[in-house]
Amino acid sequence: MTSLNGEFGRRTVIRAAGAAAITAAGASALAGCADSLDDSAETDSPVASDAASSAASEGGGTGRTIKIGYVSPQTGPLAGFGEADSFVVAAMTTYFAENGVTIAGARSDVEIIVKDSQSDSALAAEAATELVLEDTVDLVLVSSTPDTVNPVADVCEANGVPCISSVAPWQPAFFGRGGDPESPFLWTYHFFWGLEDVQAVFLDMWSQVETNKTAASLWPNDPDGNAWGSSEPTGFPAVIGEQDYTTIDPGFYANGTQDFTAQISAFKDAGAEVLLGVPIPPDFTTFWNQAAQQGFTPKIATIGKALLFPSAIEALGDSGNNLGTEVWWSPTHPFSSSLTGQSAEELAQAFTDETGQQWTQPIGFVHALFEVAVAALSATTSPDDKEGVVSALSSLSLDTVCGPLDWTSGPVPNVAKTPLVGGQWRGDAGGYELIVVSNSEFPEIPTGGTVEPLA
């Protein structure tokens, strides 16, 4: 696993001149998709659009306005990933109104155009197509699960538009798009942790609870589930098998499944005492309620994706205490923004002060998307220098509020890794708090407790 524990410089980039237009072939291939959009399902964010227009009118920049598109799942079953979007976009709009982006000594204003993927891969591709062909954005940012990241990145790659993505494990975001380390993507760059990181975190958490090493697995038939549950050497079954864990795998299930009786029966018959998986939030709520009704009571549960957000754990009522998940950002992470100087704690507190809501993990990574965008844009020769943006990204090293990013260290071209720790939710229906309980991979991120078994 590539280590991120060392010190990194603020930024190292390679500058390149030249501009890249949208390719005629890519535009032709996607024009039909753009033409078929349903006008009744508009995915622009009015709040973000109004704020961006205000920033453009008040900024007073000397260069042309730079348009940044942003796509994420703000509605639908993955909406938890988009809960912080309005806050971050509003904060970045204010930042750009005051600072703009300086390119070759000239300030340019910035307009942010937000699109909602509605938790649907096809709609994510349509949103990206609108941004590229109709809004003619200079740069696309995209966040949250391969279901959104991959189709948006594919549209940008086909059309020669720089794209920065995050909040999807790097393997499904890279190999899931047909990535080849020997022939890197030209226009799309990603940052997040990988399967090797979440495997190490979960194994460390399991090791702190005495079990029979029989692990029940919930693998949805989607890009995340296919990657995590793969029979390849990089999948969970093989990796945890090397640590003498037996995997109970009833097979991939469809997202939206309403009856998990077959899976629960298989787990009970095997006497599984460990539970892992990467379901979408509504599906885990359905599963966990049925598991309680049918008497499946593991000693420890580590669930990716479904248990990341306060809203998801609150849906479980009193049965969420000590459920575990991966933690990719928290107020206790010792990192600060390269744009605003805010620490992770200050950024989380600003979210709570503004919204009245509990902090949520995507705050830091959505903010970091804009940090990376500014670093890359600032390294170019003009607002039209799309080739300069991707040249900068290919060798960018930057300290962000989600940790140090370095695209020169791999693990593959187009990808920079981020730190990962493990946490458990503590509390009850009256309120839960996500506590970091495992930092074996990144000891510089402090823990707030130790692993506890489920009741």
Side-chain angles (χ1 to χ4, degrees):
M1 181 176 69
T2 303
S3 174
L4 292 177
N5 291 347
E7 294 295 325
F8 293 87
R10 295 296 295 175
R11 183 173 73 223
T12 303
V13 297
I14 295 176
R15 297 178 180 230
I22 296 176
T23 62
S28 175
L30 291 166
C33 182
D35 292 340
S36 66
L37 292 176
D38 182 359
D39 294 334
S40 66
E42 181 58 57
T43 58
D44 287 0
S45 166
V47 172
S49 297
D50 290 346
S53 297
S54 175
S57 64
E58 297 175 5
T62 56
R64 76 163 176 82
T65 297
I66 294 171
K67 293 193 284 188
I68 297 177
Y70 175 61
V71 184
S72 71
Q74 296 148 39
T75 57
L78 300 175
F81 285 92
E83 287 177 348
D85 285 351
S86 294
F87 166 78
V88 176
V89 169
M92 287 296 95
T93 297
T94 298
Y95 172 86
F96 288 130
E98 296 174 353
N99 300 278
V101 174
T102 300
I103 298 176
R107 170 178 158 159
S108 291
D109 294 329
V110 177
E111 178 185 2
I112 304 171
I113 303 173
V114 178
K115 302 284 185 180
D116 178 11
S117 73
Q118 302 176 55
S119 302
D120 183 279
S121 293
L123 293 178
E126 290 183 358
T129 301
E130 281 188 329
L131 289 171
V132 169
L133 300 182
E134 298 179 15
D135 299 309
T136 61
V137 296
D138 300 286
L139 173 67
V140 173
L141 309 180
V142 57
S143 176
S144 303
T145 79
D147 302 86
T148 300
V149 165
N150 291 12
V152 170
D154 283 343
V155 169
C156 293
E157 187 72 20
N159 285 272
V161 175
C163 177
I164 305 167
S165 58
S166 190
V167 191
W170 72 260
Q171 287 95 338
F174 183 81
F175 294 116
R177 297 178 51 221
D180 179 358
E182 300 302 318
S183 180
F185 295 114
L186 298 177
W187 298 97
T188 50
Y189 287 80
H190 186 76
F191 64 95
F192 209 51
W193 46 264
L195 296 181
E196 70 275 24
D197 304 306
V198 73
Q199 288 158 354
V201 167
F202 283 6
L203 281 165
D204 179 64
M205 293 175 69
W206 300 349
S207 72
Q208 299 177 52
V209 175
E210 185 175 348
T211 70
N212 59 7
K213 289 196 167 186
T214 302
S217 56
L218 277 175
W219 303 134
N221 189 17
D222 63 17
D224 269 329
N226 293 332
W228 290 46
S230 170
S231 60
E232 298 294 321
T234 56
F236 256 94
V239 170
I240 68 175
E242 294 175 355
Q243 303 299 319
D244 298 325
Y245 283 85
T246 299
T247 301
I248 306 303
D249 183 0
F252 295 96
Y253 65 88
N255 282 332
T257 291
Q258 295 298 306
D259 185 357
F260 286 94
T261 299
Q263 289 86 350
I264 293 169
S265 295
F267 300 158
K268 288 174 60 180
D269 290 345
E273 294 181 343
V274 176
L275 175 66
L276 76 153
V278 62
I280 60 176
D283 288 357
F284 183 76
T285 299
T286 300
F287 168 85
W288 196 238
N289 288 336
Q290 292 177 2
Q293 294 166 1
Q294 297 176 36
F296 173 55
T297 56
K299 292 184 177 180
I300 186 168
T302 49
I303 301 296
K305 190 158 66 177
L307 298 180
L308 296 172
F309 317 118
S311 57
I313 198 74
E314 288 164 2
L316 299 174
D318 289 328
S319 66
N321 190 50
N322 285 337
L323 285 173
T325 191
E326 77 273 17
V327 180
W328 18 283
W329 190 82
S330 78
T332 63
H333 277 50
F335 310 122
S336 298
S337 167
S338 61
L339 294 181
T340 66
Q342 291 168 292
S343 67
E345 182 179 12
E346 290 170 337
L347 186 60
Q349 187 60 51
F351 174 80
T352 298
D353 291 344
E354 179 70 24
T355 66
Q357 299 174 2
Q358 189 174 354
W359 68 270
T360 183
Q361 295 199 51
I363 297 170
F365 275 78
V366 179
H367 183 99
L369 280 169
F370 288 94
E371 292 185 70
V372 175
V374 170
L377 287 165
S378 299
T380 61
T381 59
S382 81
D384 301 314
D385 187 10
K386 289 186 173 67
E387 288 180 351
V389 170
V390 294
S391 180
L393 288 168
S394 69
S395 57
L396 182 65
S397 177
L398 182 70
D399 290 340
T400 74
V401 77
C402 68
L405 305 178
D406 186 357
W407 273 270
T408 68
S409 65
V412 294
N414 307 102
V415 171
K417 293 238 296 184
T418 60
L420 188 69
V421 292
Q424 285 184 309
W425 290 96
R426 300 279 160 78
D428 53 30
Y432 284 95
E433 184 177 0
L434 182 58
I435 304 297
V436 175
V437 295
S438 169
N439 67 348
S440 61
E441 300 304 300
F442 293 93
E444 68 269 39
I445 299 172
T447 60
T450 58
V451 176
E452 297 178 4
L454 291 165

